[in-house]
Amino acid sequence: MSIFEELGIPTIINAKGTSTRVSGGILSAEVAEAMREATQACVDMPVLQGRASTIIAEVTGAEAGIVTSGAAAGLLLGTAACIAGLDPSLMNRLPDTGGMKDEVVVVRSQRNFYDHAVRQAGVRLVEVGIADRFAGSGVRDAEAWEIADAINARTACVLYVATPHSEPSLPEVVAAAHGKGVPVLVDAAAQLPPVGNLRRFIAEGADLVAFSGGKAILGPQASGILAGRRDLIQSAALQMLDQDIWFQQWSPPANLFDKHRLKGLPQHGIGRPCKVGKEQVVGLLVALRRFVALDPARRHAEWISRLVEVREALRPANLLQVNLVDNGPDTVPLLEARLDEKAAGMSALEAVIALQDGAPSVHADPSGAKHGLIRFNPMALQAGEGRIAGERLAALLASRA
Ligand SMILES: *Cc1c(COP(=O)(O)O)cnc(C)c1O
């Protein structure tokens, strides 16, 4: 009996991808075994994070890095680091930012609800730019000079949400921010693959970059990476780790911590709710090693074969126009089924819900449902599941014809 059977929890077919809502993806046996092993011994957590820093630095090209409990945790810790620096009394006061740097500049079109994590540190977001390009009223978005103009003595950092269409470009934003002596924190949570993005944002001058560990890296669902400037990573680590000991007793790894630069140790910091266990740290590091070593063409071929399973199973369904969307090995392919909503007498969203409500529950990607599209994402599909997902949709539509 599986643990989920024992708990009475039905498992689902996840054709949505590695989203948190559907519990992320499937860990490789190697990662799962490493996590199991990690449960069987105790270690000094700052020492483990110090080793993680070396590995993350090698992989990202950054000066340092820590394993976080997710990209959102990285955003909170990164913001807190930009506010407090290496001053333990400022760390202890957060999220009260009275008299401290309490503003973060962000391009308005990049606002999203993950920026709750930034605001949690006690800052106010200062939005710049009006995105005519999205309103259909023009071609422009924010420009770098607008960011520069919004920076003042209270600015803790500039938040940059990286996507392939973010504007202005990161190098322009970095130039504007660094010109005013302010760091740039990049939310790159879901910007993998391509694997090259692990290095790209740092190479383009970002001071801190947050990645999810539970998305394409296929690490533990509640893990992530914060990489960047060593002083900022040190501050982030100090605000996350449990340091309830005497300062004399504290002998942290020198590659991550400069004990001589600190007048004392902060106590449980604002990042304490973002605790990561040794299992998460170990699992993330093993998954990261696998992700970097993986042949993108091979992984891509595997993803395509999962989607082909869905497509084959959908063949008998005649109310669908099926399209495999593939933009190459550095991207995640998708299967898109356009539903003839009129003939089916049901909307794509209703079909998505019906799949979800059946047994086994199939979670398709609902992002195109308002436009008549039922999407299938291969990242968390296991062999054989794509066929079941496709058969379920075909059977649903057969009953409507
Ligand atoms: C997924 C995501 C996050 C949150 O990542 P977690 O690792 O789940 O904390 C933050 N920002 C963006 C843009 C994301 O896509």
Side-chain angles (χ1 to χ4, degrees):
M1 202 192 247
S2 82
I3 184 63
F4 288 119
E5 280 169 346
E6 196 182 304
L7 291 170
I9 303 295
T11 56
I12 63 173
I13 290 182
N14 179 2
K16 167 64 180 70
T18 53
S19 302
T20 300
R21 174 171 60 80
V22 283
S23 74
I26 306 291
L27 297 193
S28 67
E30 188 188 352
V31 172
E33 175 54 23
M35 291 180 75
R36 194 201 62 76
E37 266 183 44
T39 64
Q40 297 303 303
C42 290
V43 295
D44 184 277
M45 286 305 289
V47 171
L48 182 58
Q49 288 283 8
R51 181 73 184 118
S53 180
T54 303
I55 293 168
I56 293 168
E58 280 168 14
V59 166
T60 61
E63 291 173 3
I66 48 174
V67 178
T68 64
S69 58
L75 296 178
L76 166 60
L77 293 166
T79 307
C82 292
I83 299 168
L86 290 178
D87 185 335
S89 60
L90 297 188
M91 293 179 193
N92 283 346
R93 276 169 51 197
L94 291 180
D96 300 320
T97 47
M100 298 158 60
K101 291 180 192 294
D102 62 353
E103 293 181 3
V104 169
V105 175
V106 61
V107 169
R108 183 174 275 111
S109 66
Q110 294 177 20
R111 286 291 318 272
N112 66 88
F113 275 110
Y114 289 112
D115 62 38
H116 255 123
V118 170
R119 291 148 63 205
Q120 245 173 303
V123 296
R124 186 172 67 85
L125 292 181
V126 176
E127 296 181 2
V128 299
I130 295 208
D132 275 342
R133 68 178 173 129
F134 290 125
S137 52
V139 296
R140 282 189 289 179
D141 198 324
E143 296 184 26
W145 59 264
E146 295 179 279
I147 294 172
D149 274 4
I151 293 173
N152 61 51
R154 296 172 74 154
T155 308
C157 63
V158 174
L159 170 65
Y160 187 85
V161 183
T163 68
H165 4 264
S166 300
E167 286 184 21
S169 72
L170 181 57
E172 288 176 279
V173 172
V174 165
H178 289 183
K180 299 262 181 167
V182 164
V184 176
L185 165 61
V186 175
D187 177 353
Q191 298 308 301
L192 303 170
V195 65
N197 276 359
L198 279 172
R199 307 187 84 88
R200 175 175 151 209
F201 307 113
I202 293 291
E204 289 181 347
D207 301 273
L208 288 168
V209 183
F211 293 102
S212 281
K215 293 178 180 169
I217 293 174
L218 287 183
Q221 165 52 195
S223 72
I225 294 170
L226 184 67
R229 252 169 56 192
R230 187 169 168 280
D231 59 324
L232 293 172
I233 293 295
Q234 176 175 189
S235 173
L238 286 166
Q239 297 185 78
M240 173 178 76
L241 292 165
D242 173 349
Q243 273 132 178
D244 185 20
I245 53 171
W246 306 110
F247 194 47
Q248 307 92 289
Q249 194 188 346
W250 186 56
S251 54
N255 69 314
L256 183 54
F257 299 96
D258 297 312
K259 189 173 179 181
H260 65 276
R261 284 180 70 185
L262 296 167
K263 55 189 163 207
L265 263 183
Q267 274 133 322
H268 297 299
I270 191 161
R272 184 62 173 74
C274 307
K275 161 160 109 173
V276 269
K278 57 184 183 272
E279 305 83 5
Q280 274 68 39
V281 177
V282 166
L284 183 282
L285 293 177
V286 173
L288 185 60
R289 190 170 66 199
R290 283 176 63 92
F291 178 72
V292 171
L294 193 84
D295 173 10
R298 206 178 120 199
R299 177 187 52 202
H300 186 260
E302 239 163 66
W303 282 342
I304 293 282
S305 75
R306 298 284 179 274
L307 296 179
V308 167
E309 272 184 39
V310 183
R311 190 174 63 187
E312 290 306 309
L314 284 177
R315 252 184 225 295
N318 52 12
L319 299 171
L320 293 174
Q321 213 183 309
V322 180
N323 183 24
L324 207 160
V325 183
D326 179 10
N327 295 310
D330 276 344
T331 63
V332 181
L334 291 175
L335 192 77
E336 270 187 2
R338 178 174 296 285
L339 179 63
D340 183 340
E341 296 182 317
K342 232 193 213 140
M346 84 189 308
S347 68
L349 183 56
E350 286 167 331
V352 165
I353 294 168
L355 288 177
Q356 207 171 298
D357 287 347
S361 176
V362 173
H363 285 251
D365 173 353
S367 59
K370 288 282 170 79
H371 307 285
L373 295 172
I374 303 160
R375 293 191 169 118
F376 296 88
N377 177 307
M379 289 173 88
L381 279 177
Q382 295 177 275
E385 290 185 337
R387 184 176 54 78
I388 300 174
E391 283 172 359
R392 284 278 314 288
L393 179 55
L396 174 70
L397 296 178
S399 74
R400 314 290 301 185

